[in-house]
Amino acid sequence: MAFEYAPAPESRAVVDIAPSYGLFIDGEFADAADGKVFKTVSPANEEVLSEVAQAGAADVERAVKAARKAFEKWSALPGAERAKYLFRIARLIQERSRELAVLESLDNGKPIKESRDSDLPLVAAHFFYYAGWADKLGHAGLGTDPKPLGVAGQVIPWNFPLLMLAWKIAPALACGNTVVLKPAETTPLSALFFADICRQAGLPRGVVNILTGDGSTGAELVAHPDVDKVAFTGSTEVGKAIARTVAGTDKKLTLELGGKAANIVFDDAPLDQAVEGIVNGIFFNQGHVCCAGSRLLVQESVQDELLDALKRRMASLRVGDPLDKNTDIGAINSAEQLARIKALADAGEAEGAERWAPACELPGEGYWFAPTLFTGVTQAHRIAREEIFGPVLSVLTFRTPEEAVAKANNTPYGLSAGIWTEKGSRSLWTAGKLRAGVVWSNTFNKFDPASPFGGYKESGFGREGGRHGLEAYLNV
Amino acid sequence: MPTTVPAYGKEAAGRLATMADVTADDRALRRFLHGLPGVDAVGLQARAAALGTRSIKNTAKAYAIDLAISMIDLTTLEGADTPGKVRALCAKGVNPDPTDRTVPKVAAICVYPDMVATAKEALGASGIHVASVATAFPAGRAALPVKLADTRDAVAAGADEIDMVIDRGAFLAGRYLEVFEEIKAVKEACVREDGSAAHLKVIFETGELQTYDNVRRVSWLAMLAGADFIKTSTGKVGVNATPPVTLLMLEAVRDFHDRLGVQVGVKPAGGIRTSKDAIKYLVMVNETLGEEWLTADWFRFGASSLLNDLLMQRQKLSSGRYSGPDYVTVD
């Protein structure tokens, strides 16, 4: 008999999802002015989870006005007072982390072990970290008495709904700004639960406002004349549109956009750990990660050995129910995203790369894509150039360190990179030459609130996290 | 005395012979062992920890508990061991839970060489093996002839398996060929008069070897020398089996099998006391080497107190309630 793991589903009973949600404006939930709503579904089985309000121009107006009014008092509070609220929010997130993890997995499709062990601890950590900065802004190296910018309009993506919210809201509040945040259309629920946490924490009305809606809501928010700061994480295409909107105004802007990270494996790498790092780099969160290591650059002399090991490891990945604690890879977030992944993977095949995926049975309902590997990829292939944002790895090879660096940098993006070698000098030499915001050495996808994160080139500008992350929300 | 003996079957010996050039002299062996891929400690520990988070419940747990029981080398290695103590342990090995005859037998009883005959007699036709720690266990600090005599003595007394310790001093001093030759010599001493041989488990005492790179090198060294099993530790030092070290040894076994087609077993020993821990090790085997290694032929636990926790968990699964330490025997 084989050692088959029995199903180990996390209970849904810990989270109570209401049939409908309004917009969170000025400390109250309210319907959209024009009464429009849309549904949010679980990507794992297409079940409708809830109905949320679609914010229009009038709602954006109300939310920005509430935030503007709240800004007067919030920015005038001593830093230590703001810190108290942030610490309170951080503790509430910890207390409710099981509920939030289940909610996030339901709405997003990511495996519970990732929402439970990666997302939620990091969400709480970000609030704790920036709570600590709130009364020390004068010591951040950004002037002795830096001032907040005002009302921040923030638009976040669907891959890490709650974590991206934390990356945006925690530093903004710590610096004394008030916010209007629009979560992604496909994953609005955790932000609405966060609104409830703000109320639980006694946060003054209007300091945090949540507007659910689609791209048009985001466009209204970004264009609103009384928004002082725009922060966006998402696709490069939308990022460019936002930059055009904001150009010529005195709004401050930070953009965290796409990526096509190189994960470079030298022939002296610790191979077993490199395989784990490659798997973590591209299959973490179904590859829905802007800093995913989607281009594997492997030295030709270890190519065969590494690919054999990688395929063997991929065959052991468990794809399925996101709420099962043993699931490694969950559902693709939406039908639209699944179609995009399929189209790009097909393009890879059509352009001559060799496609491989382990035999794995995918559920009948919902949006699923098996972890996939392309070998024989060249720089000229679309799958080596374009961000796929899914569990698809393109394998390229190199012969010398110079060639590895040249290929790694030959991309319109520059968000992250990975280096695998046992030789410290080679690691440092390579890191110094890579044009990427984050370079990991013998690891991948490691995040910490104290560490700044951001891109080069079309991956955007500005930094989030760490002391650097304060700069984006202060007038310096 | 028998001359050179094939370490495994003829086929395996033939495959090992293809590696003869790497064991030709100390320098070649060093070059080979130091040419193995390095180990990144942080990554290895993270992988071992991740494998430890698999949720094993219900049917999977029941399966794992019985499997773990069947893989135990039930051990007593005390200076104070007596024939009475050994016989009691043997009785427990045959029939671990007097209230439940569906509990599987353990794999082996592990004793000092002078207790082998007693254990052999007590186990009779039960099919349980007798394993014996020979070669000046646990320090291994004796002359080679003494170690070989210790081994032959245990084999002659009826031991089915020999657990030898390597000379850690020689390994740490870089005298790899010396360690290699010693393992080969012990392997030859495991041969019985009828030409069959006791299984050889080679103990590294990984807690004393300290680095993960050393663990990978010593694993290859022992497998090249003909080890049937590689075993983490004696259970007599501060740091014994750990999940990362065991995972690394499983990976070495996997790579050795890929390269030479020779299957080698793995035995973590020391400090594994709870069912939860044991199940984590089984998950590691399952996801690193696969089903083929999930039998007592290829994976063992060296343990003295693990069995009782497995029995209590087994009782809990069948009755729905925890009983308590008085509902399992203390032999």
Side-chain angles (χ1 to χ4, degrees), chain B residues 241-321:
Chain B
T242 64
V245 157
T246 309
L247 174 60
L248 179 52
M249 285 165 57
L250 294 169
E251 288 171 346
V253 162
R254 179 198 65 202
D255 295 343
F256 191 76
H257 182 256
D258 280 357
R259 179 130 162 207
L260 291 161
V262 176
Q263 192 169 1
V264 175
V266 179
K267 176 177 171 184
I272 305 166
R273 295 191 178 86
T274 65
S275 306
K276 210 170 185 173
D277 282 345
I279 291 172
K280 288 178 183 177
Y281 282 91
L282 294 180
V283 166
M284 251 177 350
V285 177
N286 190 37
E287 299 202 23
T288 309
L289 288 166
E291 228 178 290
E292 218 181 318
W293 265 264
L294 275 177
T295 80
D297 291 340
W298 302 108
F299 193 77
R300 295 279 179 87
F301 290 106
S304 48
S305 61
L306 170 63
L307 180 55
N308 271 3
D309 192 64
L310 287 164
L311 293 174
M312 283 196 281
Q313 289 294 330
R314 202 177 186 280
Q315 290 174 353
K316 197 260 170 180
L317 273 184
S318 56
S319 71
R321 285 177 295 280

Side-chain angles (χ1 to χ4, degrees), chain A residues 1 5 272 312-313 326, chain B residues 54-55 63 216 254 258:
Chain A
M1 183 180 146
Y5 305 159
D272 285 318
R312 181 176 55 211
R313 177 69 178 86
N326 290 327
Chain B
R54 289 293 193 205
S55 182
Y63 174 75
R216 174 165 285 170
R254 179 198 65 202
D258 280 357

Side-chain angles (χ1 to χ4, degrees), chain A residues 229-263:
Chain A
K229 152 84 188 180
V230 172
F232 173 75
T233 296
S235 72
T236 294
E237 190 190 341
V238 177
K240 285 178 180 172
I242 290 175
R244 278 191 288 270
T245 307
V246 171
T249 70
D250 61 356
K251 286 181 179 144
K252 296 270 196 298
L253 176 65
T254 45
L255 297 172
E256 300 286 359
L257 310 175
K260 192 73 190 171
N263 207 355

Side-chain angles (χ1 to χ4, degrees), chain A residues 259-270:
Chain A
K260 192 73 190 171
N263 207 355
I264 305 170
V265 180
F266 288 104
D267 59 5
D268 65 345

Side-chain angles (χ1 to χ4, degrees), chain A residues 401-426:
Chain A
E402 283 78 7
E403 187 182 353
V405 168
K407 282 184 169 169
N409 284 337
N410 179 218
T411 167
Y413 295 110
L415 195 51
S416 66
I419 302 167
W420 296 85
T421 171
E422 278 281 89
K423 196 167 178 172
S425 59
R426 179 168 298 144

